């Protein structure tokens, strides 16, 4: 492998590791953040909601940036904005918390939409394999953030602000490693009106969008609230953080295998069905017996959710024929999908606040899993390339 290829692959992998720590790192620290700033459960859930709203609202920036600067420079801009947002979030005060979260969410939105196009541009003949690589990096970054926040806080003694600021370090490192790609003459692969017109007219676009949104919604519900659910069930804070990390680690097994296997098939319906059944089983375990065999529920949930996100991103890449079309479809599916997903953590916080327990919120999550199954089946059926 040439040095250029090594830098390309290394930058691609490190960029993928930055797609979730700014989100996943909030959850283990959420109780401390709420106590420090006097936030209600709904206000605590709104931290994740703000970021997920930005994933939806600002994902549409990516095709515009890619058209003018190229996908590689667009990804670079996302990494730098992520570092800025993470640092702003640590400034004292509630406004800075939400502003920094919004900036970080916008950065992740740009990178989320760019990555399928980057796969199609740099690895057009190995879409399944490299979708597996970057989705695995996405999940591994979330798992590391979930597991390490509390231990790093205790090790450094800096509190949640200092530990949260550390998330900027890998973002800057990824930007430096990706710099050779960004300095090259850009291959402009952004949207053209005919791409969006064709995509918006296609029914499969909207099934893909609903599947992307609802599987993200069911994921972010657990990402935001699992440690709190476990702590209220009697488990210590560090164990609750480890359990959240475990479910993210379990996702790695699915993200490594599912895109490679599913990418070789015309239909991904069987894969979507199994992923949703596993997710439902994990939700049921958390609902009925959160303190009994919690590690088992986390493994089952992780396998289901890892397979679901991998399939959603794989289907986006498979359903479009070239990088510009992939970027356009990715923008529609992820922008609209994440706007839908943004309601999840806030809705669950409100249901927890009004019901006084976790039964009603988790039953709502199970209902969303059923919607995920229906949309996923329609999105995963084989469709003619257009």
């Amino acid at each position: 492998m040439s040095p250029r290829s090594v830098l390309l692959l290394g930058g691609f992998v490190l960029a993928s590791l930055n797609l979730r720590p700014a989100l996943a790192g909030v959850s283990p620290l959420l109780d401390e953040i709420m106590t420090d700033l006097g936030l209600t459960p709904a206000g605590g859930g709104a931290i994740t909601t703000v970021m997920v709203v930005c994933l939806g609202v600002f994902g549409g920036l990516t095709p515009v940036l890619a058209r003018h600067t190229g996908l590689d420079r667009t990804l670079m801009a996302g990494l730098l904005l992520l570092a800025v947002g993470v640092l702003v979030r640590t400034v004292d005060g509630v406004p800075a918390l939400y502003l920094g979260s919004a900036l970080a969410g916008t950065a992740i939105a740009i990178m989320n939409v760019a990555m399928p196009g980057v796969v199609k541009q740099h690895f057009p003949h190995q879409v399944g394999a490299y979708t597996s690589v970057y989705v695995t990096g996405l999940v591994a970054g979330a798992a590391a953030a979930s597991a390490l926040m509390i231990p790093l806080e205790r090790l450094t003694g800096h509190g949640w602000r200092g530990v949260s600021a550390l998330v900027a370090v890998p973002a800057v490192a990824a930007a430096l490693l990706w710099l050779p790609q960004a300095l090259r003459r850009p291959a402009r692969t952004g949207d053209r009106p005919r791409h969006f017109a064709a995509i918006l007219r296609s029914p499969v676009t909207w099934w893909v969008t609903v599947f992307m949104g609802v599987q993200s919604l069911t994921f972010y519900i657990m990402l935001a609230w699992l440690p709190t659910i476990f702590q209220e069930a009697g488990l210590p804070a560090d164990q609750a953080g480890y359990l959240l990390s475990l479910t993210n680690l379990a996702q790695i097994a699915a993200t490594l295998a599912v895109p490679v296997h599913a990418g070789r098939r015309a239909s991904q319906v069987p894969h979507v069905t199994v992923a949703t059944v596993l997710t439902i089983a994990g939700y049921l375990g958390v609902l009925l017996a959160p303190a009994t065999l919690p590690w088992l529920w986390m493994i089952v949930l992780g396998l289901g959710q890892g397979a679901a996100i991998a399939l959603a991103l794989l289907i986006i890449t498979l359903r479009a024929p070239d990088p510009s079309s992939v970027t356009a479809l990715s923008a529609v599916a992820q922008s609209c999908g994440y706007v839908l997903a943004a309601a999840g953590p806030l809705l669950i916080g409100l249901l927890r606040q009004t019901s006084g327990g976790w039964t009603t919120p988790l039953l709502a999550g199970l209902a969303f899993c059923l919607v995920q199954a229906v949309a996923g089946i329609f999105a995963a059926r084989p469709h003619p390339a257009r």
Side-chain angles (χ1 to χ4, degrees):
M1 185 178 287
S2 67
R4 177 175 169 180
S5 298
V6 171
L7 284 174
L8 171 62
L9 183 57
F12 178 72
V13 171
L14 192 53
S16 72
L17 290 169
N18 280 277
L19 291 171
R20 288 298 178 270
L23 271 163
V26 171
S27 186
L29 303 170
L30 187 56
D31 276 349
E32 185 179 346
I33 294 171
M34 289 166 60
T35 301
D36 183 30
L37 297 177
L39 299 176
T40 64
I47 300 171
T48 301
T49 296
V50 165
M51 298 187 73
V52 180
V53 166
C54 290
L55 295 189
V57 172
F58 296 109
L61 291 175
T62 304
V64 178
L65 291 172
R67 182 178 63 194
H68 293 290
T69 67
L71 275 170
D72 293 335
R73 294 179 182 178
T74 298
L75 183 60
M76 177 86 165
L79 289 165
L80 294 175
L81 181 60
L82 176 62
V84 171
V86 165
L87 293 175
V88 169
R89 191 166 63 182
T90 64
V91 176
D92 191 28
V94 173
L97 173 68
Y98 288 123
L99 174 60
S101 296
L103 292 174
T106 301
I108 296 170
I110 292 170
M111 294 189 292
N112 275 346
V113 175
M115 288 299 271
V118 169
V119 170
K120 199 80 167 184
Q121 176 174 295
H122 290 290
F123 315 106
H125 304 298
Q126 298 170 292
V127 166
Y130 281 94
T131 298
S132 173
V133 168
Y134 98 79
V135 180
T136 299
L138 179 155
V139 172
S146 300
L148 295 177
M149 283 299 161
I150 297 295
L152 282 174
E153 184 182 29
R154 293 174 178 173
L155 180 66
T156 62
H158 289 312
W160 71 266
R161 298 180 193 278
V163 173
S164 296
L166 294 177
V167 176
V169 175
V172 173
L176 292 174
L177 197 57
W178 193 251
L179 184 60
Q181 308 304 323
L183 291 177
R184 294 173 58 201
R185 183 175 180 178
R188 297 185 178 183
T189 59
D191 63 312
R192 293 192 291 271
R194 64 180 181 86
H195 287 141
F196 275 109
I199 284 168
L200 294 175
R201 287 195 302 267
S202 173
V204 71
T205 295
W206 302 108
W207 288 118
V208 171
T209 298
V210 174
F211 179 56
M212 183 73 205
V214 180
Q215 69 81 26
S216 297
L217 184 148
T218 59
F219 170 77
Y220 284 116
I221 286 172
M222 289 301 195
L223 183 67
W225 291 110
L226 261 179
T228 303
I229 293 171
F230 283 133
Q231 287 178 61
E232 293 188 9
L235 299 178
D238 55 351
Q239 188 175 345
Y242 294 144
L243 286 167
L244 180 60
S245 178
L246 176 60
T247 194
N248 286 315
L249 286 172
Q251 290 178 37
I252 293 176
T255 57
L256 282 171
V258 170
V260 176
H261 187 268
R264 297 171 182 161
R265 271 74 181 165
S267 173
Q268 291 78 44
V269 170
H271 304 81
V272 166
T273 303
V274 172
T276 305
V277 168
L278 289 172
T279 302
I280 289 171
Y283 262 82
L284 286 172
V286 174
L287 170 63
L288 299 176
T292 304
L293 299 178
W295 57 270
L296 177 60
W297 314 138
M298 293 303 92
I299 292 173
V300 171
L301 181 68
L303 291 173
Q305 293 188 324
I309 181 61
L311 287 165
L313 294 170
L314 175 67
I315 289 169
I316 288 172
T317 309
L318 291 176
R319 294 297 177 261
D322 54 69
S324 56
S325 299
V326 170
T327 304
L329 177 57
S330 180
V332 174
Q334 296 203 54
S335 294
C336 298
Y338 281 122
V339 168
L340 173 62
L346 180 60
L347 173 64
I348 295 305
L350 289 171
L351 289 175
R352 168 65 181 86
Q353 194 169 313
T354 56
S355 68
W358 288 106
T359 299
T360 300
L362 290 172
L363 286 174
L366 284 166
F368 286 121
C369 289
L370 297 178
V371 178
Q372 172 184 321
V374 174
I377 288 170
F378 280 98
R381 295 184 304 175
H383 298 272
R386 296 184 179 179

